[in-house]
Amino acid sequence: MLRNYLKIAIRNLRKQRGFTFINIFGLATGLACCLLITLYVVDELSYDRFHEKADRIYRINTDIKFGGNDMHMAVSPDPMGPTLLKDYPQVENFVRLHGRGTFLVKETGQTNNLREDDIMYADSTLFDVFTLPLVVGNPKRALAEPNTVVISESAAKRHFGNQNPMGKTLLFDNEFTYRVTGVMRDMPTNAHFRTDFFVCMRSDNYEWGRWLSNNHQTYILLKEGVDPRKFSQNFETIIQKYVGPQAQEFVGTTIDQLRQSGNRIDYSLIPMTDIHLHSKQNIELAPNSDIQYVYTFSAVAIFILLIACINFMNLSTARSANRAKEVGVRKVLGSVQRQLIGQFMTESVLMAILSMGLALVIVALTLPFFNDISSKQLTINSLFNPQFLPVLLALPLGVGLLAGSYPAFFLSSFRPISVLKGKINLGLKSAGLRSGLVVFQFMMSVILIVGTMVVYRQINFIQTKKVGFNRNQVLTINEAYALGKQTQAFKDEVRKLPGVMNGSVSGYLPVPSNRSDSPLFPEGQREQSKAVSTQQWGVDYEYIPTLGMELKEGRNFSREFGSDSTGIILNETAVKVFGFKDPIGKRVWRMLDDEGKVFKTYTVIGVVKNFHFESLRQNIGSVALMMDPNQGAVSFRLNSQDMPALVKQIEAKWKQMAPGMPFSYSFLDDRFDAMYRAEQRVGQIVLTFSVLAILIACLGLFGLAAFMAEQRTKEIGVRKVLGATTASIVGLLSKDFLRLVLIAILIATPIAWYGMNAWLKDFAYKIDVPWWVFVLAGTVAVFIAFVTVSFQSIKAALMNPVKSLRSE
């Protein structure tokens, strides 16, 4: 029987090539979209699950409200891990990580350095907590001694070629020497942090035991069966026993008094597997994603797949008139409904299988493009792994049964007598389900159109908003400390080049900024209620003009004033938090030690207008600029029509003064845009799938229009004989569909408004969703629907009425 079903199915598909192509192409497009998004979602959900003990690893977060700032950080005090291991038997182990950023690295004795990013310090317990297999070396001893480093296979290849790196030494920034004690496999891409270098935590001169300095990512491994929520209650004891005494010495108040004044300090646990999608803390080891994007893309995948299935139903029922007599004859000859259902289901599943094959081809062809816009390294091989393969095989079967169920039961239910007498009525008025499906399709299309426009308007708002500094044509040269004592000379030489307007040496730039949170106090006061938590940036004389910042009052640092070594420039937020009505000349204290005993007095000489030094998701915090140049980077404001040539001239100056050092640079506007790359990716992905969803929806509408034109052929012929014009017939056939689209717009508008306002809540600075966005989305949907329907309507209206009446 199945063999007979397949024969008839293949014969029917070959006979109706146009119908078959549209149906298979629509399903294939929907399946391809679903598979691409599934690859993305599965990858996002897989982060950090490669660790064998991932379900028991938690990171400690710190939440502090102090001095007018509310800080949510992914770091905690350095004694936290050792103290929890010592005091609480529920803790099996701990490891601390400390991101040290970028270094210039070379093998000892070599000349040329390589720029290595995201180098980290780690405890010797690293390999006991995380699953990071060593190719060479003993995981128990690899980071047990100071000045040792474990490198990845890729790093070993870069620095040592095919030689055995064990026991060899690497020189960091031409100053720090580390001995290689292990080579680990490259970390997977689905980790919330990645590095090629782990340096022994005890390699620096760090002063340990500071409970008020939050600068380490601390991970704890809980023993089997420990409830993390109950264990978190122990943090209150930690605060009272360890943090409280240092806080009282630091600010002269107890923890309880601190809380009574509206300030707070809290610690919490977050599962390591939740960090990538659920953590929104500051000072992460790497940028995270957002679970909302997973929900959004999952919903889009489901909706697109449903739209594709709906199209199949609509296109199948659109051809039902041509197959109604076939059903009638087969029923007269003895076929039962079960056999007819089996026949139509076979055709449906066969088309779904063919669609899946075409979908896999589409995925293979479009995956490089999708990887580019999503910043992923997805491969089609992931679809064929043992875990996903059953889903891949079951999907066409499920889609085929779902998409073919309605046509199968619909067509097989025809009464043979009515069909053969031509009395069957398949009009739109009796097709409420099909109407509802069209409404659903265009409702989703309108939501996607609105979402795309709002995302792009928000991104455009971010890119064009005045951020308090001029980010255009500012060249930043990284790792300026490689110049040593020649940094200032390098800056002076470059400034002589035509097209270089100004230059500054500083380790602090607005985007992305290095954080330097410390309290400032009004002169003569050290009460915690008077402290203002402030970003304290060391800059030089040219910092403000180079970055194009504006002074609201007062003056910039100047070489004409020898006292500017104790001068300070505050931003508007800091002035407001301090409560200074006339800030110029006011004095503030800066604490120079962790015990709160040594202070330095600064005089406010200027107020700079607020500038964004973090994402527009956050409000602008307090910033203080002081004369304390840091050699982290050299920035130049340029004004040249031939930027590549000017950059080459600057590179030549660099190579003269820093031979063997890599020339690494970036433009400030590129760094700014990089902060919003996630939003840009979301916008591109939503736009792409919106277009595809609309395309698939139009195929369904095309099918319904064809269906209606077939069912009203006689009516159209009679109307034309009686004098109806082509325009009136097109209007007659189009109005029912346009009514459905208008209903879809009315339903979609409040849903889209709510969803986009919920998305915008993450931004402290955001657009208002304007009314015209919904009008434009609706207009686009109506236009697309009208064009799609008009094609079939005009075709029907132009048909010779003699032919249409004779065919009846």
Side-chain angles (χ1 to χ4, degrees):
M1 185 64 73
L2 179 61
R3 182 176 168 183
N4 185 52
Y5 288 162
L6 287 172
K7 278 186 177 181
I8 297 174
I10 293 172
R11 186 183 305 149
N12 280 321
L13 295 180
R14 292 178 60 185
K15 184 179 179 181
Q16 302 174 2
R17 289 184 175 87
F19 158 76
T20 301
F21 171 78
I22 293 175
N23 230 341
I24 290 177
F25 179 75
L27 265 179
T29 304
L31 287 168
C33 293
C34 185
L35 291 175
L36 285 172
I37 295 177
T38 300
L39 284 172
Y40 177 90
V41 170
V42 169
D43 182 75
E44 288 288 281
L45 295 175
S46 70
Y47 267 66
D48 297 308
R49 299 185 186 277
F50 60 88
H51 297 287
E52 294 177 1
K53 305 170 185 176
D55 60 327
R56 295 190 286 129
I57 302 174
Y58 296 83
R59 190 187 67 197
I60 301 173
N61 291 337
T62 302
D63 299 295
I64 298 176
K65 185 177 182 181
F66 183 76
N69 278 354
D70 200 354
M71 296 171 284
H72 306 279
M73 300 179 291
V75 290
S76 56
D78 66 79
M80 180 65 78
T83 301
L84 291 176
L85 181 64
K86 175 175 66 72
D87 291 357
Y88 297 96
Q90 301 97 314
V91 178
E92 182 176 314
N93 216 329
F94 77 94
V95 63
R96 293 166 299 186
L97 300 178
H98 185 41
R100 297 297 292 173
T102 301
F103 284 85
L104 300 175
V105 180
K106 65 180 179 181
E107 183 183 0
T108 303
Q110 297 298 315
T111 303
N112 294 326
N113 284 274
L114 295 179
R115 184 176 187 263
E116 299 287 0
D117 298 320
D118 301 321
I119 290 176
M120 295 182 189
Y121 284 4
D123 283 311
S124 60
T125 53
L126 174 72
F127 304 104
D128 296 325
V129 177
F130 298 137
T131 303
L132 300 171
L134 291 187
V135 178
V136 183
N138 182 353
K140 296 291 185 183
R141 300 293 307 165
L143 294 175
E145 299 177 8
N147 302 316
T148 55
V149 61
V150 172
I151 62 178
S152 69
E153 288 182 291
S154 295
K157 189 74 174 177
R158 287 196 298 271
H159 290 277
F160 301 103
N162 295 323
Q163 300 179 25
N164 183 5
M166 292 294 289
K168 296 184 181 296
T169 58
L170 290 171
L171 194 61
F172 285 31
D173 288 343
N174 294 324
E175 183 177 358
F176 309 104
T177 302
Y178 298 102
R179 178 169 53 89
V180 178
T181 54
V183 177
M184 64 179 180
R185 291 203 177 101
D186 290 349
M187 293 186 67
T189 57
N190 57 342
H192 76 277
F193 70 90
R194 298 186 73 239
T195 183
D196 287 328
F197 295 82
F198 284 111
V199 179
C200 174
M201 182 72 77
R202 297 284 178 170
S203 298
D204 58 6
N205 296 320
Y206 182 77
E207 183 181 345
W208 299 91
R210 301 186 297 181
W211 281 97
L212 298 182
S213 292
N214 298 288
N215 43 30
H216 289 76
Q217 274 79 12
T218 304
Y219 299 82
I220 60 173
L221 176 65
L222 296 179
K223 292 182 178 178
E224 295 277 1
V226 175
D227 186 343
R229 287 175 295 181
K230 290 184 178 179
F231 181 80
S232 296
Q233 298 172 4
N234 295 312
F235 285 128
E236 180 60 26
T237 303
I238 292 289
I239 292 171
Q240 295 292 344
K241 184 176 180 180
Y242 297 103
V243 182
Q246 286 196 14
Q248 188 166 3
E249 186 178 3
F250 182 70
V251 294
T253 186
T254 65
I255 288 293
D256 292 335
Q257 291 171 334
L258 190 78
R259 290 170 174 169
Q260 289 172 6
S261 64
N263 295 315
R264 67 186 179 93
I265 179 169
D266 294 307
Y267 303 109
S268 60
L269 295 179
I270 180 173
M272 184 179 65
T273 52
D274 285 355
I275 291 174
H276 177 66
L277 292 176
H278 296 273
S279 178
K280 296 183 179 180
Q281 304 292 100
N282 292 319
I283 323 180
E284 293 279 0
L285 289 171
N288 290 327
S289 185
D290 194 322
I291 189 64
Q292 293 300 325
Y293 297 149
V294 171
Y295 294 151
T296 299
F297 293 147
S298 298
V300 169
I302 292 171
F303 288 140
I304 288 179
L305 189 58
L306 286 176
I307 288 173
C309 292
I310 289 168
N311 283 351
F312 185 94
M313 296 179 189
N314 286 338
L315 288 167
S316 296
T317 52
R319 307 304 302 176
S320 59
N322 292 342
R323 303 194 66 179
K325 290 183 180 180
E326 174 195 340
V327 172
V329 171
R330 292 181 65 177
K331 279 196 169 186
V332 169
L333 295 177
S335 293
V336 297
Q337 186 174 11
R338 174 176 52 82
Q339 293 173 327
L340 293 172
I341 291 174
Q343 174 64 56
F344 293 123
M345 283 292 192
T346 301
E347 292 181 16
S348 175
V349 171
L350 178 60
M351 278 197 285
I353 293 173
L354 294 174
S355 298
M356 177 59 79
L358 180 57
L360 290 173
V361 174
I362 294 173
V363 169
L365 294 175
T366 58
L367 197 55
F369 168 76
F370 185 76
N371 280 335
D372 184 52
I373 64 174
S374 64
S375 290
K376 293 285 187 182
Q377 299 179 20
L378 306 174
T379 63
I380 197 170
N381 293 334
S382 302
L383 295 174
F384 301 101
N385 65 46
Q387 294 178 334
F388 201 82
L389 192 57
V391 178
L392 189 66
L393 296 175
L395 190 60
L397 179 63
V399 169
L401 294 176
L402 174 64
S405 58
Y406 175 68
F409 284 98
F410 176 74
L411 293 171
S412 64
S413 64
F414 293 164
R415 295 181 61 190
I417 296 177
S418 300
V419 170
L420 295 177
K421 286 184 177 182
K423 295 182 178 180
I424 188 166
N425 181 11
L426 301 173
L428 185 63
K429 294 181 180 178
S430 64
L433 175 60
R434 290 195 299 277
S435 298
L437 295 179
V438 171
V439 170
F440 175 81
Q441 286 180 311
F442 275 87
M443 178 190 74
M444 289 310 307
S445 298
V446 171
I447 291 174
L448 288 172
I449 293 170
V450 171
T452 302
M453 287 194 291
V454 171
V455 169
Y456 271 95
R457 277 180 55 80
Q458 175 65 14
I459 293 172
N460 182 66
F461 170 78
I462 290 169
Q463 293 175 332
T464 58
K465 184 183 185 298
K466 291 184 178 180
V467 292
F469 61 94
N470 186 353
R471 62 180 184 267
N472 296 318
Q473 293 196 329
V474 176
L475 178 76
T476 298
I477 300 174
N478 308 307
E479 291 79 57
Y481 47 77
L483 294 163
K485 296 180 180 180
Q486 298 191 83
T487 305
Q488 189 63 39
F490 171 74
K491 187 187 81 169
D492 294 339
E493 284 295 314
V494 172
R495 285 194 61 181
K496 296 176 183 178
L497 296 174
V500 179
M501 310 302 294
N502 217 324
S504 172
V505 180
S506 174
Y508 297 93
L509 293 170
V511 285
S513 68
N514 294 326
R515 295 190 65 86
S516 179
D517 292 293
S518 297
L520 289 177
F521 298 82
E523 184 184 23
Q525 301 184 41
R526 52 172 287 178
E527 294 84 2
Q528 57 84 21
S529 60
K530 303 293 183 181
V532 175
S533 181
T534 309
Q535 289 283 309
Q536 299 177 21
W537 293 0
V539 300
D540 63 4
Y541 297 104
E542 290 80 21
Y543 185 82
I544 288 178
T546 299
L547 294 180
M549 296 176 177
E550 296 183 47
L551 285 169
K552 182 179 181 181
E553 53 185 303
R555 62 176 178 83
N556 187 22
F557 298 110
S558 173
R559 292 180 175 85
E560 298 178 2
F561 296 88
S563 61
D564 276 4
S565 61
T566 58
I568 193 169
I569 297 176
L570 303 177
N571 73 341
E572 293 173 289
T573 299
V575 170
K576 182 178 179 181
V577 176
F578 270 116
F580 293 154
K581 293 183 179 179
D582 185 14
I584 305 302
K586 291 288 193 301
R587 295 175 181 270
V588 296
W589 274 8
R590 179 190 181 195
M591 196 176 296
L592 300 182
D593 67 331
D594 292 331
E595 287 76 30
K597 297 177 181 178
V598 181
F599 290 85
K600 182 177 180 179
T601 303
Y602 289 83
T603 302
V604 179
I605 65 171
V607 177
V608 67
K609 288 185 178 180
N610 277 344
F611 59 91
H612 289 276
F613 58 91
E614 291 182 303
S615 166
L616 267 69
R617 293 179 182 274
Q618 284 87 36
N619 290 307
I620 296 175
S622 301
V623 178
L625 307 179
M626 52 197 68
M627 286 297 297
D628 185 17
N630 180 294
Q631 295 188 359
V634 184
S635 301
F636 297 100
R637 176 161 295 285
L638 309 180
N639 184 13
S640 174
Q641 298 299 320
D642 190 358
M643 197 65 70
L646 181 55
V647 171
K648 286 185 178 179
Q649 293 180 51
I650 296 174
E651 182 179 6
K653 296 287 185 183
W654 171 275
K655 290 182 176 179
Q656 288 177 11
M657 296 188 173
M661 301 295 178
F663 178 71
S664 173
Y665 70 92
S666 60
F667 284 93
L668 203 59
D669 53 352
D670 292 335
R671 293 159 66 109
F672 183 86
D673 291 341
M675 289 200 300
Y676 307 100
R677 203 156 282 154
E679 286 76 19
Q680 292 171 345
R681 288 198 299 266
V682 170
Q684 291 176 316
I685 293 173
V686 170
L687 174 62
T688 302
F689 288 116
S690 295
V691 172
L692 291 173
I694 293 169
L695 173 65
I696 298 171
C698 287
L699 284 175
L701 202 59
F702 182 88
L704 267 188
F707 171 77
M708 285 304 301
E710 282 190 11
Q711 299 308 304
R712 303 179 73 171
T713 300
K714 184 176 181 179
E715 176 190 347
I716 293 169
V718 171
R719 287 178 179 275
K720 291 199 71 174
V721 168
L722 295 177
T725 63
T726 300
S728 65
I729 293 175
V730 170
L732 176 70
L733 295 177
S734 302
K735 66 179 183 179
D736 289 327
F737 295 105
L738 296 181
R739 187 183 299 119
L740 296 177
V741 175
L742 290 174
I743 293 172
I745 293 170
L746 292 175
I747 297 173
T749 297
I751 297 174
W753 179 87
Y754 176 82
M756 296 320 299
N757 277 284
W759 179 72
L760 289 169
K761 282 182 180 179
D762 283 343
F763 294 89
Y765 302 88
K766 57 183 179 290
I767 63 169
D768 293 322
V769 182
W771 59 269
W772 60 262
V773 167
F774 302 99
V775 174
L776 180 59
T779 303
V780 170
V782 170
F783 176 76
I784 292 172
F786 181 74
V787 170
T788 304
V789 174
S790 294
F791 178 81
Q792 287 290 351
S793 301
I794 294 172
K795 180 181 176 182
L798 294 176
M799 184 181 296
N800 188 333
V802 175
K803 182 179 179 181
S804 61
L805 291 174
R806 186 174 57 190
S807 67
E808 295 294 324

